[in-house]
Amino acid sequence: MAISSSGEFKFMRIDLSLIPQDLTGQIVGTEHYPTAIGTFSDIWKGVYIFQHRELTVAVKTIRRHRDDQPVNTKSLHDQVGRWKTLSHKNVLPVYGTLNIGLLPSLVCPWVDGGSLTHYIDLHSNLSHEQRHEILLQICDGLCYLHAKEIVHGELNGGSVLMDTKGNAYLADFGLLPIVLELRTALSLSTAIGSSVRWAAPELFEVSESTNGPPLQLSLQSDIYSFGSIMLQVGHRAIWRVAQLILAQVLSGDIPYHTIKGDNQVLYVIAKAIKPDRPQTPNVTDEYWEFIQRCWSSRRENKRPSATDVSTFLVATSTQIGSTFQNYDYAHSTALENPTQDDVWNLVDIRREFPSDLTGYVRREDEHPVASGSYGDVYRATFRVRRRSLDVAVKAIRTYSVDDGDCAQKKKRFRREIRVWLTLHHINVLPLFGTTMGFGRFPAMVSPWLENGPLTTYLERRTDTLTTVERLVLVGDVAMGLQYLHSKSVVHGDLSGSNVLICANGRACIADFGRSTLLTALESTTATTSPAGGTLRWTAPELLYLNIEVSGDEEIMPRVLPTPPSDIYSFGAIMLQVLTGKIPYHYYPRDERVLFALSQGEIPKRPARTLVTDKEWSFIQWCWTPADARPSDEDIVEFTQNELA
């Protein structure tokens, strides 16, 4: 995209009223894969012909499942109409919408410098003056939005875009409430994803007496996030993920940079633990005091307004000798107001087909039927012996990044897949092979089990399943887990969503080995922590719940799942099957579950008519410290004795 002589993109000169709001059929894609991926959306690069000129655009598609309930998209279209009236040099314009999927996609100008986080990563030698100017521009755009009574709602290092001249543009403003409305299955922590590091603590506050919706996003929650950005724009290169704003700009580190998992970050936020002061000359005493004001609690009512932030930055700019020749203060708006089904036979398929099934698998729909924390599941047909079998194809969600290591990653991926292809057990979902055509990397092909995941199966059969049928399901999971561990395979993500039910009502374990697989594809995949849906089954040791956060610490090493952590999850599965309800079902919000885990609170004792004293004691044994939990043999023996 061309840059004008003044350093601003030419898109700033376009009269948005001349661009129709509905751009369906007028955008041509330029990439096979998204250029960026988030928790609930993907960014695609495209071209729009406007008045005989080619404009490079970004198309933001909100991910939605084929089987989701229909929703009213009127609020999104109304907001886009409002956003098209905005005009500010530090606010990214919105051109319109594009109907190419189940939900409208947003069309905006393409900004060639990438996100603020990426920009600072590439330009770690930015001077204090340059960092200060970036903050002024972000603040200027935020003041403009607040003057229009628009709450950004998700201000972080990923929602601020940079051009190659160092100009900043606020993007994704006002979008989070719409996403939460369109994707009602998302909790706030899931929708925010890695942006939780910038989010104001009050958004996650949970009353002991209620599990109602989180507090509304506000102008003050934006100020908290700005304080985090101010910290990051700083003295050394930062990680590739987006975090808090004011702190980010000055220190060069993302907030809570010593903590990898977003669940752990959410925990320390709930404990009112703030990031430590970074040891860098960029963060002066005056800056640090102001950042702490931005981070003050909502109840203290001490956070500055956007105009106060602008006044502070303008005043401190003279103290650091900044000229800011490109910044027009006179006109700045910032200073204004199983048994296996007979339909398939694993031995026959593996004997007669290679592990690469490309060409034999055809998807039924372009939209996934389900999405997990790192991939999408499609329903497809697999042609074998003149018969068409229904299969599930799980595609790892990737984006277009050229790190020069794609071939090596595919090689590591296939090496992991070869291990899975050797597994053969009645309670472990078999892998037929892999197929291309569902993304950048091979997608995994497995049988389609019509009864679906355990959680939805129990919801449908809650009043009809007998005690014996429930114990059979528990025994199936126990035997499947014992088999995996005997093959040195740790599941790592066992929950009610990745135990699948066959047509005959028997259980198969799926999605095992996730951690190993994602490690093989590191930097090319979108991953989230267990907040993406498995938190309620996750062993506490995988969440770093008992940690002290210090800015002087090294980055915390990643804790890998172990057989004992799988046993903890098995205890949660056992509770779910016997009661028909997910763990902590009385806490609808994940934030409350995480708080309970941080306090050492286990799920409440269910009625004795559902879970006997003996069964409850065994479940509690699964939740003891890792070195005291039962073995694989113990869980199999217990379930067999219960059935006997």
Side-chain angles (χ1 to χ4, degrees):
M1 197 176 267
I3 300 175
S4 67
S5 58
S6 64
E8 295 180 10
F9 276 119
K10 287 184 177 179
F11 65 65
M12 306 305 291
R13 302 175 181 176
I14 294 176
D15 184 352
L16 297 182
S17 65
L18 299 177
I19 299 179
Q21 182 165 324
D22 186 357
L23 297 173
T24 304
Q26 302 183 54
I27 308 295
V28 178
T30 61
E31 305 285 346
H32 292 294
Y33 304 106
T35 59
I37 46 182
T39 306
F40 59 84
S41 63
D42 301 311
I43 304 295
W44 301 79
K45 192 174 184 178
V47 173
Y48 169 52
I49 306 299
F50 175 73
Q51 295 182 342
H52 308 293
R53 291 181 294 167
E54 285 191 357
L55 301 180
T56 308
V57 295
V59 179
K60 190 181 189 81
T61 60
I62 300 173
R63 222 175 286 121
R64 187 167 171 80
H65 304 159
R66 184 186 67 180
D67 296 334
D68 281 351
Q69 295 298 316
V71 294
N72 186 354
T73 59
K74 184 178 183 299
S75 60
L76 175 59
H77 289 295
D78 290 345
Q79 284 296 340
V80 171
R82 183 186 183 194
W83 295 338
K84 281 175 67 70
T85 66
L86 303 177
S87 179
H88 188 275
K89 65 180 182 179
N90 298 117
V91 173
L92 188 71
V94 177
Y95 287 163
T97 59
L98 184 64
N99 293 312
I100 55 175
L102 297 175
L103 292 174
S105 301
L106 291 179
V107 181
C108 297
W110 180 266
V111 185
D112 62 354
S115 69
L116 173 67
T117 297
H118 176 71
Y119 183 83
I120 297 175
D121 197 6
L122 291 179
H123 302 87
S124 58
N125 60 344
L126 287 173
S127 67
H128 194 141
E129 291 81 359
Q130 290 170 316
R131 298 173 190 276
H132 196 88
E133 182 175 1
I134 291 172
L135 290 174
L136 278 165
Q137 293 186 26
I138 297 171
C139 180
D140 202 19
L142 189 61
C143 283
Y144 175 79
L145 292 178
H146 285 190
K148 298 287 186 180
E149 298 184 348
I150 295 176
V151 177
H152 190 290
E154 203 180 3
L155 189 61
N156 59 66
S159 62
V160 176
L161 303 181
M162 303 292 298
D163 66 26
T164 54
K165 294 291 186 180
N167 297 311
Y169 306 91
L170 300 190
D172 293 347
F173 43 86
L175 188 58
L176 182 59
I178 295 176
V179 170
L180 287 171
E181 178 183 341
L182 296 179
R183 295 292 310 277
T184 53
L186 291 176
S187 66
L188 178 64
S189 60
T190 303
I192 288 180
S194 59
S195 299
V196 68
R197 296 169 184 263
W198 287 272
E202 62 264 21
L203 300 182
F204 305 104
E205 287 180 356
V206 180
S207 169
E208 291 293 333
S209 60
T210 180
N211 287 291
L215 296 175
Q216 294 295 315
L217 299 165
S218 66
L219 305 182
Q220 289 299 296
S221 63
D222 279 353
I223 295 301
Y224 183 98
S225 299
F226 183 85
S228 299
I229 284 186
M230 189 174 177
L231 183 65
Q232 181 180 355
V233 181
H235 76 288
R236 66 178 184 273
I238 56 176
W239 288 19
R240 295 189 178 103
V241 291
Q243 314 298 341
L244 299 177
I245 295 246
L246 180 55
Q248 177 181 5
V249 175
L250 290 173
S251 74
D253 284 318
I254 58 176
Y256 307 106
H257 66 280
T258 61
I259 309 174
K260 265 193 150 182
D262 297 331
N263 271 329
Q264 297 91 295
V265 173
L266 187 59
Y267 167 71
V268 297
I269 290 175
K271 286 289 191 180
I273 301 173
K274 302 294 191 299
D276 284 352
R277 178 174 177 173
Q279 300 303 310
T280 169
N282 286 330
V283 183
T284 63
D285 290 343
E286 189 173 13
Y287 267 121
W288 183 242
E289 290 175 6
F290 192 81
I291 289 172
Q292 290 180 304
R293 277 188 62 196
C294 294
W295 288 345
S296 60
S297 72
R298 178 179 56 87
R299 295 179 180 83
E300 289 177 313
N301 198 27
K302 293 181 180 179
R303 291 180 197 164
S305 66
T307 302
D308 294 335
V309 174
S310 176
T311 302
F312 171 80
L313 292 174
V314 170
T316 54
S317 67
T318 59
Q319 300 173 18
I320 62 175
S322 175
T323 59
F324 297 110
Q325 296 176 357
N326 295 327
Y327 196 82
D328 186 358
Y329 293 109
H331 299 91
S332 172
T333 57
L335 300 181
E336 299 174 355
N337 296 307
T339 40
Q340 302 164 349
D341 299 333
D342 293 334
V343 71
W344 48 269
N345 185 290
L346 180 61
V347 175
D348 287 347
I349 289 174
R350 287 180 175 170
R351 181 176 61 239
E352 299 204 7
F353 284 82
S355 61
D356 184 358
L357 303 178
T358 303
Y360 296 102
V361 178
R362 183 180 63 189
R363 75 172 76 191
E364 292 187 358
D365 195 285
E366 62 176 311
H367 303 293
V369 296
S371 293
S373 56
Y374 69 99
D376 301 306
V377 179
Y378 297 85
R379 187 166 184 169
T381 54
F382 171 41
R383 192 75 178 172
V384 54
R385 285 188 173 181
R386 299 180 182 179
R387 299 176 63 187
S388 292
L389 305 182
D390 287 334
V391 293
V393 179
K394 182 144 196 173
I396 304 298
R397 198 177 300 128
T398 62
Y399 59 96
S400 298
V401 57
D402 183 13
D403 55 11
D405 196 27
C406 185
Q408 282 297 110
K409 288 180 178 178
K410 285 184 178 180
K411 185 177 180 180
R412 290 196 296 269
F413 178 90
R414 292 191 183 280
R415 185 168 60 240
E416 296 300 328
I417 290 297
R418 281 198 294 271
V419 175
W420 294 5
L421 285 169
T422 64
L423 302 179
H424 188 189
H425 189 274
I426 193 172
N427 300 120
V428 173
L429 187 71
L431 180 69
F432 288 162
T434 61
T435 180
M436 298 301 296
F438 290 79
R440 191 178 183 196
F441 291 95
M444 293 161 282
V445 182
S446 295
W448 177 267
L449 301 189
E450 199 65 49
N451 276 325
L454 175 67
T455 297
T456 55
Y457 179 74
L458 292 174
E459 290 171 353
R460 291 195 308 269
R461 297 284 315 275
T462 183
D463 296 325
T464 59
L465 279 177
T466 66
T467 300
V468 171
E469 288 173 320
R470 294 179 188 273
L471 288 172
V472 167
L473 288 173
V474 175
D476 287 344
V477 177
M479 289 186 289
L481 199 58
Q482 180 190 44
Y483 173 77
L484 289 177
H485 290 176
S486 73
K487 298 296 183 179
S488 301
V489 175
V490 176
H491 192 291
D493 200 30
L494 187 63
S495 73
S497 62
N498 48 42
V499 173
L500 305 180
I501 309 301
C502 301
N504 60 7
R506 303 299 294 271
C508 283
I509 298 178
D511 286 353
F512 40 85
R514 182 188 76 144
S515 298
T516 305
L517 179 62
L518 294 183
T519 299
L521 301 180
E522 190 175 3
S523 85
T524 316
T525 57
T527 61
T528 63
S529 53
T534 62
L535 173 65
R536 298 166 186 269
W537 293 263
T538 303
E541 64 265 20
L542 300 182
L543 300 175
Y544 296 102
L545 290 181
N546 299 310
I547 60 174
E548 295 294 331
V549 182
S550 172
D552 296 331
E553 293 179 9
E554 295 295 326
I555 294 173
M556 297 182 66
R558 181 180 181 183
V559 174
L560 295 177
T562 62
S565 67
D566 281 350
I567 296 296
Y568 181 99
S569 301
F570 171 80
I573 289 284
M574 183 173 173
L575 175 68
Q576 179 184 5
V577 172
L578 295 178
T579 64
K581 297 179 180 179
I582 61 174
Y584 303 100
H585 62 90
Y586 39 85
Y587 294 147
R589 290 170 49 197
D590 284 349
E591 298 86 0
R592 185 64 182 87
V593 175
L594 187 62
F595 180 78
L597 287 168
S598 71
Q599 301 300 306
E601 177 186 332
I602 64 173
K604 295 177 182 177
R605 168 65 159 104
R608 285 178 171 79
T609 55
L610 299 175
V611 179
T612 66
D613 289 341
K614 184 179 179 182
E615 290 164 347
W616 179 241
S617 296
F618 189 82
I619 290 172
Q620 290 180 297
W621 184 16
C622 295
W623 296 338
T624 55
D627 57 357
R629 292 171 193 161
S631 66
D632 299 317
E633 291 71 25
D634 290 330
I635 64 175
V636 170
E637 181 181 0
F638 179 84
T639 55
Q640 289 177 342
N641 288 340
E642 286 296 284
L643 279 170

